[in-house]
Amino acid sequence: EVQLVESGGGSVQAGGSLRLSCAVSGYTASGASMAWFRQAPGKEREGVVCGSGAGYTYSADSVKGRFTISRDNAKNTLYLQMNSLKPEDTAMYYCAARSWSWSCSLGYNTYNYWGQGTQVTVSS
């Protein structure tokens, strides 16, 4: 069974940094389409950053220049480096993967594997 487990969330002050991890098992992260999503209470899930199996990455406008997605293939782990955090970044962050495509996408409905989420809270 494919499992994605996020970690690294917490509370930080605006302007600070945080690094999220997504440990993947039962699935090979390298060469796969993976992404980070977030969802705040009362709001819809939104795509943050994605990475294709070919190394292409794409970020939502709200996080461009601040968030970076990366992979450690040896550890089969996906990362999200978040810098210059803002209060509006506060949300539950989810790691996701899909088995049917290698391409990069921020459409949450196209992903079939999900982690349990890790909370990120940014205070002003």
Side-chain angles (χ1 to χ4, degrees), residues 6-19:
E6 302 96 333
S7 62
S11 298
V12 298
Q13 196 169 13
S17 299
L18 207 60
R19 186 191 187 209

Side-chain angles (χ1 to χ4, degrees), residues 44-122:
E44 294 186 349
R45 193 179 310 169
E46 63 174 344
V48 181
V49 294
C50 63
S52 77
Y56 173 81
T57 62
Y58 179 79
S59 302
D61 290 340
S62 59
V63 304
K64 283 184 177 178
R66 300 189 298 119
F67 290 12
T68 303
I69 189 171
S70 63
R71 310 181 194 215
D72 186 330
N73 293 330
K75 296 181 179 180
N76 207 33
T77 300
L78 185 74
Y79 299 99
L80 179 63
Q81 180 65 49
M82 304 184 294
N83 299 323
S84 301
L85 285 163
K86 304 175 181 179
E88 50 263 44
D89 294 321
T90 296
M92 183 74 75
Y93 283 73
Y94 298 91
C95 175
R98 57 187 186 178
S99 60
W100 59 273
S101 177
W102 56 264
S103 64
C104 185
S105 174
L106 294 182
Y108 75 89
N109 57 312
T110 68
Y111 289 82
N112 53 327
Y113 300 131
W114 292 88
Q116 86 289 350
T118 184
Q119 179 67 40
V120 172
T121 302
V122 184

